[in-house]
């Protein structure tokens, strides 16, 4: 392992226990403060650490975001049983659409030839990652929205705590289920 990487990881381990000042980190690592400061600035620029108003360093938000990605499943696998239930109860051709954020954020203006309704599916951070679409049900979007909300909740839940019954992933990203 490179010396800089090793020192950076050692700093993160120290900061996991409690916040530290620059002097404290330099003492724990046994290196000069300028070396520690250079590494801290790099970690701070990438949001792996943050400095508070008392010049103490804490773990940053980027570490939490990295940790939050473990155990999550593909949104299409999560959506399959929900869409099957919606199609069975509503008799609609509901499907999950994935794609670029611009398409998902403004799905009703994406140029689809037929009228349809859409409800967003969001990840744990609130970012739109997919949409549930169905032929326009004439104003009653309750089932569509409830399905999108259920998919969002299951998708945000780590795989080891998710509901059972996921489906195998196959077909195109916007395949009907």
């Amino acid at each position: 392992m490179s010396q800089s990487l090793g020192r950076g990881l050692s700093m993160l381990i120290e900061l996991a226990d409690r916040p530290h000042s620059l002097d404290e980190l330099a003492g724990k690592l046994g290196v000069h403060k300028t070396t520690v400061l250079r590494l801290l600035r790099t970690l701070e620029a990438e949001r792996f650490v943050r400095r508070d108003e008392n010049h103490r360093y804490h773990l940053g938000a980027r570490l939490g975001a990295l940790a939050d990605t473990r155990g999550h499943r593909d949104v299409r696998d999560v959506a399959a049983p929900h869409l099957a239930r919606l199609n069975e109860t509503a008799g609609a051709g509901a499907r999950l659409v994935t794609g670029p954020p611009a398409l998902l954020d403004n799905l009703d203006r994406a140029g689809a030839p037929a009228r349809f309704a859409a409800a967003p599916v969001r990840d744990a951070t609130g970012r739109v990652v997919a949409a549930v679409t169905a032929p326009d049900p004439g104003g009653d979007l309750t089932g569509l929205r409830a399905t999108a909300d259920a998919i969002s909740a299951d998708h945000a839940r780590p795989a080891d705590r998710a509901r059972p019954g996921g489906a195998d992933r196959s077909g195109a990203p916007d395949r009907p289920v």
Side-chain angles (χ1 to χ4, degrees):
M1 178 181 339
S2 79
Q3 197 173 35
S4 293
L5 178 59
R7 287 176 177 158
L9 292 173
S10 294
M11 283 193 293
L12 293 175
I13 291 167
E14 289 295 329
L15 293 175
D17 290 335
R18 65 177 180 82
H20 287 75
S21 68
L22 175 63
D23 290 331
E24 290 170 335
L25 285 170
K28 292 243 184 203
L29 296 175
V31 295
H32 196 272
K33 289 191 319 187
T34 57
T35 302
V36 174
L37 183 59
R38 178 179 46 84
L39 291 168
L40 283 170
R41 285 184 176 161
T42 300
L43 291 169
E44 190 175 20
E46 296 296 328
R47 298 178 314 138
F48 287 107
V49 300
R50 66 177 176 82
R51 185 174 49 154
D52 66 21
E53 62 278 352
N54 297 319
H55 303 285
R56 299 185 65 75
Y57 290 88
H58 303 256
L59 291 179
R62 186 89 179 263
L63 282 173
L66 284 176
D68 190 42
T69 61
R70 73 181 185 350
H72 286 277
R73 297 158 300 142
D74 187 288
V75 68
R76 292 171 286 186
D77 295 338
V78 174
H82 294 285
L83 292 173
R85 279 192 296 279
L86 177 63
N87 285 331
E88 186 177 309
T89 58
R95 61 174 37 191
L96 184 76
V97 177
T98 59
L103 169 70
L104 297 171
D105 286 339
N106 204 3
L107 195 56
D108 59 342
R109 295 188 188 135
R115 290 199 33 91
F116 61 91
V121 173
R122 299 178 185 280
D123 65 10
T125 65
R127 183 177 57 105
V128 176
V129 294
V132 177
T133 65
D136 191 345
D140 183 14
L141 303 177
T142 308
L144 187 68
R145 288 185 183 135
T147 299
D149 291 345
I151 295 168
S152 297
D154 280 0
H155 181 58
R157 193 175 290 122
D160 59 350
R161 293 185 8 215
R163 294 180 189 168
D168 291 335
R169 187 173 106 188
S170 61
D174 61 346
R175 71 189 190 279
V177 177

